[in-house]
Amino acid sequence: MANCDICTVVIVLIGYMGCGKSTVGKQLAKAMGIPFVDLDAHMEKVEKMSIASIFDTKGEIYFRKKEATLLLELLDAKDPMILALGGGTPCYGNVMQELLSNANVITIYLQCSVELLTQRLWEEKETRPLIAHIATQEALNEFIRKHLFERSPFYMMASIKLHTNSRSQKELVEQILFALL
Ligand code: S3P
């Protein structure tokens, strides 16, 4: 990646659970030669427990405050990186405003259809505390539809918005690199 302005920034990937923030983020980081950080994985390391256990033992409010604090710490370090947020991170407190007002941050929303999110999340819902209890695929679809409706206004504030459904991982990385130039 030749563009030096881009080399100094933190590229923040946002979007609903299952939209591909981590998989695309890793590929993008590789293509740009900068580190990839997953905020959930970072929190698990700091807290020395899984996200599900944090929700279970400390509760969601603790989790929301902690994810915002850890995010601001990472941004304060001003190290270039690709940073994948949790699905809810930009939707609480003033996180989205913080991201948008930070001159070193570029926000990218990976937009994905409710149908595709339902398919993906149904396979792996056990590890995700917000949806682990949902019993049927229809109920999961309904949950995601409503939840995404509530969260979309936050996601849509991102500087770059990309539809991911019909694109391969490779195409998405290329699209992002193109959008960053
Ligand atoms: C959450 C999404 C998860 C994780 C936590 C809460 C959310 O991250 O932060 O389970 O509120 O949407 P992923 O989007 O990486 O699955």
Side-chain angles (χ1 to χ4, degrees):
M1 192 76 208
N3 188 333
C4 283
D5 287 347
I6 294 304
C7 298
T8 60
V9 300
V10 178
I11 293 167
V12 175
L13 301 179
I14 67 172
Y16 203 75
M17 294 178 272
C19 71
K21 299 179 295 282
S22 301
T23 40
V24 171
K26 280 179 198 156
Q27 294 299 317
L28 185 61
K30 207 167 158 196
M32 293 179 70
I34 58 177
F36 170 74
V37 176
D38 179 290
L39 188 62
D40 280 341
H42 180 58
M43 170 150 5
E44 288 181 331
K45 219 169 170 182
V46 170
E47 292 280 307
K48 298 186 183 66
M49 63 172 95
S50 69
I51 298 297
S53 304
I54 300 171
F55 266 73
D56 258 7
T57 58
K58 303 188 174 183
E60 184 173 354
I61 304 284
Y62 176 88
F63 172 82
R64 297 299 172 197
K65 286 185 178 161
K66 192 74 189 181
E67 67 177 349
T69 306
L70 292 176
L71 168 62
L72 294 182
E73 274 172 26
L74 286 170
L75 296 181
D76 274 352
K78 295 194 171 61
D79 294 325
M81 70 182 117
I82 308 295
L83 177 57
L85 302 191
T89 321
C91 311
Y92 289 86
N94 60 348
V95 168
M96 202 61 206
Q97 286 90 324
E98 291 277 356
L99 291 172
L100 294 174
S101 63
N102 188 322
N104 296 315
V105 168
I106 297 176
T107 46
I108 303 180
Y109 172 29
L110 300 183
Q111 214 169 345
C112 189
S113 72
V114 173
E115 271 58 44
L116 189 53
L117 292 172
T118 307
Q119 267 176 39
R120 285 187 188 157
L121 292 172
W122 181 247
E123 307 294 325
E124 42 180 82
K125 71 185 177 75
E126 310 310 331
T127 56
R128 293 182 156 94
L130 293 181
I131 54 172
H133 64 284
I134 298 178
T136 66
Q137 207 162 337
E138 291 67 36
L140 179 62
N141 184 279
E142 192 54 22
F143 177 90
I144 295 171
R145 190 172 299 283
K146 286 186 190 150
H147 208 198
L148 192 55
F149 179 74
E150 288 164 11
R151 288 181 169 186
S152 285
F154 294 94
Y155 296 153
M156 292 302 282
M157 287 185 224
S159 323
I160 298 171
K161 298 172 258 292
L162 285 177
H163 286 278
T164 62
N165 272 41
S166 55
R167 290 178 171 142
S168 68
Q169 246 183 62
K170 190 167 170 275
E171 284 169 332
L172 275 172
V173 170
E174 283 167 4
Q175 286 281 324
I176 294 174
L177 292 175
F178 183 73
L180 290 172
L181 285 175

